[in-house]
């Protein structure tokens, strides 16, 4: 880890070494000097643009192509990953380490994943980020990298505890506070910046109007376009106030799909007028808020492109609508090119070329970097894509790097991590925000709040889905622990998302003698045995409180089970569950209201609970 003086020394020394290495290749030392000062003064000025253009003019074609790619890499270190990660890198990328990948392909960005072992703990992440930046500055043309991740919070979270985990989008939508949304983004952004992540693929700007949406759901702020637009703008301002790039996704809008674009190609049948009314407002608001980057969707919208190409590959959608109609001139990044939605119509060698021709700047996570990189290189050499066209994208990418200060100093410090990540103030803010999102949807007989005098002994059962970040939960244990800290005696029993008859019988037996049972439910369907569990527990006569820990629609499927109360938390990370425990025990008031309607299970054409519904004590 490098403190500020050593970081400056390293940056200068690396650039000086690069001057000697590249002078013979025809890159002028003056261009490198300009590069080091590219982000001083007014970043949007003509002078800055001219400096960046001089850098681009000195780059080889191979370097230019590399700048367009943002790639995954396995390992906790840029130069010394574990052997299993070296093996994975060799198998998928043909290199051993992140540093070797940067040296060979000159990639402009790297994306972190927990499953790629990039995000063990804050200090490790910071050192990985520094190693990546050192590798970038060691190239023929020394360039810092954009280091990105999907830190939406809620159910999509790559960096876990001890970093502060915030409520996700739909929870914030339930809270309805733009101030809370902005504060959540500011805190999350500051912590990402401290560990060297400078581009976050959040917030989700999709308007979730389809309760059956398998890929968006609670990742959306809600179903009302104007409310979603206001929350998106607030989050953009929050993130970017912390000097990281925010990314609105997934353009032109992924909220009304019943197919997961990871596994198939969704088709959205909105008319052009419906798109303008439902899907456009959040992206327009993000652009007005100064959004740094926008991510494309692997979806087909025939009304916007009659050729029925995925939006990621659609010139009418990306250049015609996003660039032209909406006037956006920031960075456009694809969703992962490894997803099936973008691979169904064209081969992996054509997808990146078509994306660039459509108007994309950054090509994210192709299944084979070698195939994609060489395909783009050949497309430029053959004249299918002009070098001037890719220069446009590189200028946008370098302009963003300059805006973020990466040309001045791309490194982070151990002291900065300790000063910023998971601080007491940040954790307290997350708890308070979460309290304002918890939504009470049923409270028969005013069983809530539970008193320590009348409801001392509690049983917590239900679903224990894996932690989004790998660092929290399991939910039943988290809830039981929180109740214990609030003065109740609580026992946890995991029954899963599909409890067996034996597990239901075990839960019923465990409920004997308890004062109340809390059941964590997870996406209950009409045939789900979670419904059977709730009915069986309610039949014991013990009050049953259900907590929908993902989608708020569970209450519709639980009608008639005899439950006494129902709450929605919109995610199962600890911050939301602790807030739910405080609401259940009366230590906090339920303040959230539904940001989406809940239809009746027996007649989906009728609404059980409308947008804005929520009970209080």
């Amino acid at each position: 880890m490098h403190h500020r003086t050593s970081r400056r020394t390293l940056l200068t020394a690396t650039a000086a070494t690069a001057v000697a290495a590249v002078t013979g290749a025809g890159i002028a030392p003056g261009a490198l000097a300009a590069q080091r000062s590219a982000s001083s003064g007014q970043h949007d000025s003509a002078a800055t643009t001219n400096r960046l253009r001089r850098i681009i003019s000195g780059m080889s074609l191979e370097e230019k192509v590399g700048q367009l790619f943002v790639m995954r890499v396995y390992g906790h270190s840029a130069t010394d990953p574990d052997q299993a990660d070296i093996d994975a890198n060799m198998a998928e990328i043909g290199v051993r380490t992140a540093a070797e990948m940067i040296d060979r392909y000159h990639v402009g960005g790297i994306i972190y994943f927990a499953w790629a072992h990039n995000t063990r703990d804050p200090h490790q992440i910071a050192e990985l980020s520094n190693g990546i930046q050192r590798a970038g500055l060691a190239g023929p043309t020394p360039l810092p990298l954009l280091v990105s991740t999907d830190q939406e919070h809620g159910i999509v979270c790559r960096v876990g505890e001890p970093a502060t985990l915030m409520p996700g989008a739909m929870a914030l939508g339930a809270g309805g506070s733009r101030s809370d949304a902005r504060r959540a983004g500011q805190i999350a952004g500051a912590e990402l910046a401290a560990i060297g992540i400078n581009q976050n693929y959040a917030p989700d700007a999709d308007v979730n109007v389809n309760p059956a949406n398998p890929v968006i759901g609670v990742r959306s702020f809600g179903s009302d376009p104007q409310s979603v637009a206001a929350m998106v703008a607030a989050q953009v301002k929050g993130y970017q106030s912390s000097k990281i790039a925010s990314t609105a996704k997934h353009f032109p809008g992924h909220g009304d799909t019943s197919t997961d674009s990871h596994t198939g190609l969704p088709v959205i049948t909105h008319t052009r007028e419906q798109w303008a009314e439902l899907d456009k407002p959040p992206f327009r608001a993000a652009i007005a808020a100064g959004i740094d980057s926008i991510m494309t969707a692997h979806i087909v919208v025939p009304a916007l492109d009659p050729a029925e190409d995925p939006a990621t590959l659609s010139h009418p959608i990306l250049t015609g609508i996003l660039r032209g109609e909406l006037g956006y001139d920031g960075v456009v990044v694809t969703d992962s090119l490894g997803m099936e939605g973008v691979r169904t119509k064209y081969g992996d060698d054509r997808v990146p070329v078509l994306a660039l021709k459509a108007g994309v700047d950054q090509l994210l996570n192709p299944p084979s970097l070698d195939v994609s990189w060489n395909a783009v290189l050949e497309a430029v050499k053959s004249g299918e894509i002009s070098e001037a066209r890719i220069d446009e994208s590189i200028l946008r990418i370098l302009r963003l790097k300059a805006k973020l200060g990466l040309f001045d100093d791309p490194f982070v410090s151990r002291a900065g991590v300790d000063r910023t990540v998971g601080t007491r103030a940040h954790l307290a803010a997350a708890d308070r925000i979460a309290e304002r999102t918890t939504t009470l949807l049923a409270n028969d007989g005013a069983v809530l709040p539970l008193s320590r005098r009348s409801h001392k002994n509690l049983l917590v059962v239900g679903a224990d889905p894996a932690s989004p970040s790998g660092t929290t939960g399991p939910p039943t244990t988290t809830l039981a622990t929180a109740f214990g800290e609030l003065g109740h005696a609580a026992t946890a029993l995991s029954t899963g998302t599909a409890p067996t008859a034996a597990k239901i019988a075990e839960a019923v037996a465990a409920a004997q003698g308890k004062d109340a049972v809390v059941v964590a439910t997870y996406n209950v369907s009409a045939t789900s045995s979670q419904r059977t569990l709730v009915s069986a527990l309610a039949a014991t006569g013990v009050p049953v409180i259900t907590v929908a820990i993902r989608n708020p629609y569970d209450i519709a499927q639980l009608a008639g089970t005899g439950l006494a109360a129902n709450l929605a938390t919109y995610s199962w990370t600890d911050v939301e569950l602790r807030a739910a425990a405080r609401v259940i025990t009366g230590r906090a008031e339920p303040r959230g209201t539904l940001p989406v309607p809940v239809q009746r299970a027996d007649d989906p054409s009728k609404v059980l609970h409308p947008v804005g519904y929520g009970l209080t004590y």
Side-chain angles (χ1 to χ4, degrees):
M1 197 71 64
H2 298 266
H3 296 281
R4 182 157 297 277
T5 53
S6 61
R7 298 207 307 279
R8 287 289 187 189
T9 301
L10 177 62
L11 185 60
T12 303
T14 303
T17 302
V19 169
V22 303
T23 300
I27 298 178
L32 293 165
Q35 185 176 318
R36 290 196 298 275
S37 62
S39 61
S40 61
Q42 295 296 317
H43 293 302
D44 295 328
S45 69
T48 297
T49 297
N50 288 336
R51 286 193 292 267
L52 295 175
R53 289 190 189 280
R54 286 197 295 273
I55 295 171
I56 296 169
S57 69
M59 295 168 65
S60 68
L61 180 57
E62 288 77 10
E63 288 178 301
K64 289 181 178 182
V65 170
Q67 279 298 299
L68 304 171
F69 284 92
V70 180
M71 187 61 183
R72 70 190 178 279
V73 68
Y74 291 86
H76 70 287
S77 165
T79 55
D80 188 27
D82 295 339
Q83 186 61 48
D85 293 321
I86 292 174
D87 295 342
N89 286 329
M90 287 298 298
E92 294 187 19
I93 312 171
V95 298
R96 298 173 68 256
T97 67
E100 288 183 11
M101 181 176 70
I102 294 165
D103 178 62
R104 179 179 299 182
Y105 292 104
H106 316 292
V107 295
I110 285 181
I111 180 172
Y112 288 170
F113 293 103
W115 53 259
H117 310 139
N118 304 140
T119 57
R120 289 181 179 176
D121 65 73
H123 286 135
Q124 167 269 317
I125 299 169
E127 184 53 48
L128 172 61
S129 300
N130 282 346
I132 285 168
Q133 298 296 358
R134 285 193 289 271
L137 295 177
T141 304
L143 290 170
L145 278 84
L146 286 168
V147 178
S148 61
T149 199
D150 292 283
Q151 190 78 348
E152 297 175 20
H153 292 268
I155 72 167
V156 176
C157 200
R158 312 302 189 204
V159 180
E161 294 180 342
T164 305
L165 297 180
M166 287 287 173
M170 192 169 285
L172 292 171
S177 168
R178 283 177 285 181
S179 175
D180 280 352
R182 182 168 183 163
R183 177 64 174 151
Q186 185 271 323
I187 291 172
E191 297 198 7
L192 290 176
I195 58 178
I197 295 174
N198 44 54
Q199 184 176 21
N200 188 22
Y201 299 137
D204 192 300
D206 301 312
V207 181
N208 199 75
V209 295
N210 186 345
N213 194 321
V215 65
I216 304 302
V218 293
R219 297 169 63 191
S220 163
F221 289 104
S223 63
D224 177 71
Q226 299 307 320
S227 297
V228 172
M231 301 301 279
V232 165
Q235 284 247 283
V236 169
K237 291 175 181 176
Y239 281 121
Q240 294 188 179
S241 71
S242 292
K243 307 302 184 222
I244 68 164
S246 181
T247 309
K249 61 186 186 185
H250 307 80
F251 190 82
H254 209 317
D256 192 14
T257 58
S258 55
T259 300
D260 186 342
S261 52
H262 291 84
T263 57
L265 180 57
V267 177
I268 292 185
T269 58
H270 292 176
T271 65
R272 180 64 186 254
E273 292 72 27
Q274 287 173 322
W275 173 81
E277 180 183 351
L278 291 172
D279 302 295
K280 178 180 176 181
F283 292 101
R284 185 175 55 203
I287 293 168
I291 189 75
D292 282 328
S293 49
I294 290 178
M295 180 178 284
T296 67
H298 305 326
I299 58 174
V300 168
V301 189
L304 303 185
D305 182 359
E308 299 193 7
D309 280 331
T312 298
L313 311 181
S314 170
H315 189 275
I317 291 175
L318 298 186
T319 298
I321 296 176
L322 182 56
R323 297 277 191 217
E325 181 178 323
L326 295 181
Y328 177 66
D329 192 39
V331 170
V332 174
V333 57
T334 70
D335 205 344
S336 170
L337 297 183
M339 293 166 60
E340 199 59 34
V342 79
R343 302 173 75 189
T344 57
K345 193 171 179 179
Y346 303 99
D348 290 341
D349 59 334
R350 293 300 298 160
V351 165
V353 174
L354 294 173
L356 291 169
K357 292 174 74 171
V360 157
D361 301 306
Q362 289 185 304
L363 301 162
L364 176 63
N365 200 28
S368 169
L369 178 58
D370 192 67
V371 167
S372 295
W373 189 89
N374 279 294
V376 173
L377 184 66
E378 182 56 35
V380 179
K381 287 181 175 179
S382 71
E384 182 179 4
I385 299 176
S386 70
E387 192 164 352
R389 165 64 191 90
I390 66 169
D391 285 354
E392 291 176 13
S393 287
I394 296 165
L395 180 60
R396 290 190 187 101
I397 293 165
L398 296 189
R399 189 182 288 148
L400 178 54
K401 292 179 179 183
K403 177 186 176 183
L404 298 175
L406 299 180
F407 286 107
D408 289 332
D409 187 353
F411 298 102
V412 292
S413 70
R414 177 174 289 271
V417 172
D418 293 338
R419 186 170 56 246
T420 308
V421 179
T423 65
R424 184 176 300 178
H426 286 180
L427 295 172
D431 281 337
R432 299 290 84 77
I433 291 171
E435 283 179 0
R436 294 190 280 269
T437 70
T438 306
T439 308
L440 180 63
L441 298 177
N443 191 18
D444 294 346
V447 66
L448 298 183
L450 298 181
S451 163
R452 279 178 293 177
R453 292 185 298 274
S454 59
H455 295 88
K456 174 76 172 179
N457 296 313
L458 306 179
L459 173 67
V460 181
V461 304
D464 277 332
S467 166
S469 65
T471 61
T472 64
T476 56
T477 300
T478 298
L479 281 167
T481 300
F483 287 130
E485 292 171 350
L486 294 168
H488 295 258
T491 304
L493 172 63
S494 179
T495 52
T497 56
T500 62
K503 188 59 72 173
I504 292 171
E506 183 182 356
V508 168
Q512 301 302 318
K514 301 298 183 183
D515 298 318
V517 181
V518 177
V519 184
T521 66
Y522 183 95
N523 292 2
V524 181
S525 67
T527 59
S528 173
S529 56
Q530 293 181 75
R531 192 179 191 283
T532 308
L533 171 69
V534 173
S535 295
L537 288 168
T540 66
V542 178
V544 174
I545 298 102
T546 60
V547 181
I549 61 174
R550 184 166 179 164
N551 290 324
Y553 311 114
D554 287 2
I555 188 171
Q557 298 293 347
L558 295 173
T561 58
L563 64 83
N566 172 276
L567 300 94
T569 63
Y570 310 97
S571 182
W572 59 96
T573 49
D574 289 6
V575 67
E576 282 104 336
L577 298 177
R578 288 194 306 266
R582 291 193 296 276
V583 169
I584 288 169
T585 58
R587 303 303 180 89
E589 293 280 334
R591 300 185 187 178
T593 60
L594 283 174
V596 292
V598 174
Q599 278 90 12
R600 285 174 47 171
D602 60 346
D603 186 356
S605 67
K606 296 180 180 178
V607 173
L608 176 66
H609 296 308
V611 170
Y613 181 84
L615 304 176
T616 58
Y617 295 150

